[in-house]
Amino acid sequence: MTDTTTGTQGYGAEADVLAVQYESVTFEEVHGELLHLLPAAPARVLDIGAGTGRDAAALARLGHTVTAAEPTAELRAHAERLHADTAVSWLDDALPELAGLRARGERFDLILITAVWMHLDAAERARAMPNVAELLAPGGTLLMRVRSGPVPPGRRMFEVPDAETVALAEAAGLRVLHRGGRVDLHGRSGVSWSELGFTRP
């Protein structure tokens, strides 16, 4: 699906550079404020837009059963090479439809969406949230990190208000667990991150 799926523009061509950038920070550094929301292992985990697999691999090492969906073939190739020692199940699938995952009928205790949601426009986000919620098991947790700030050349990104994401999640039957934010770990000017956690009651 390289560079044809919604929001993936530019990622295939820059995969080698991005692999170094993504792997330069740890799962714990990126998700520090959300770690208390992780389920106990072993849990069924889905990482949507998993990139080079940093988070998926870390969760697998914690004892979880991890499925990682990444539509950009070049990033997926890096992930499988860099994290060949982990039992992550890799899948070519993407928001907003997640057609492959939904067809499998599996439900997950934890869904992670990191640096992905802002690639969808408003209509796509409205379509995507019910599809994500459908994949979440009762009592499961959805953790999202959403980027704000200048759009890099050649990329497709939108500013996404936290209130919109919360409203979409609540309309899909989810309840807010956490709202927060942080500065950019890579020190990029004007870039900040929203951190949102939801659960299916």
Side-chain angles (χ1 to χ4, degrees), residues 53-77:
R54 175 199 63 213
D55 298 343
L59 288 161
R61 291 187 187 103
L62 290 173
H64 300 293
T65 301
V66 183
T67 299
E70 173 52 55
T72 301
E74 292 88 346
L75 290 178
R76 221 167 45 245

Side-chain angles (χ1 to χ4, degrees), residues 6 96 117-130 156-161 164-165 168:
T6 295
W117 199 247
M118 71 283 176
H119 291 304
L120 307 178
D121 66 26
E124 291 160 345
R125 295 192 298 268
R127 290 211 317 276
M129 186 63 82
R156 177 191 196 255
M157 292 185 188
F158 304 91
E159 286 295 318
V160 185
E164 178 205 276
T165 307
L168 288 173

Side-chain angles (χ1 to χ4, degrees), residues 77-101:
H78 278 295
E80 293 180 24
R81 173 182 59 83
L82 290 167
H83 304 293
D85 61 327
T86 59
V88 174
S89 175
W90 287 94
L91 185 68
D92 178 2
D93 206 358
L95 292 164
E97 303 305 334
L98 298 172
L101 282 159

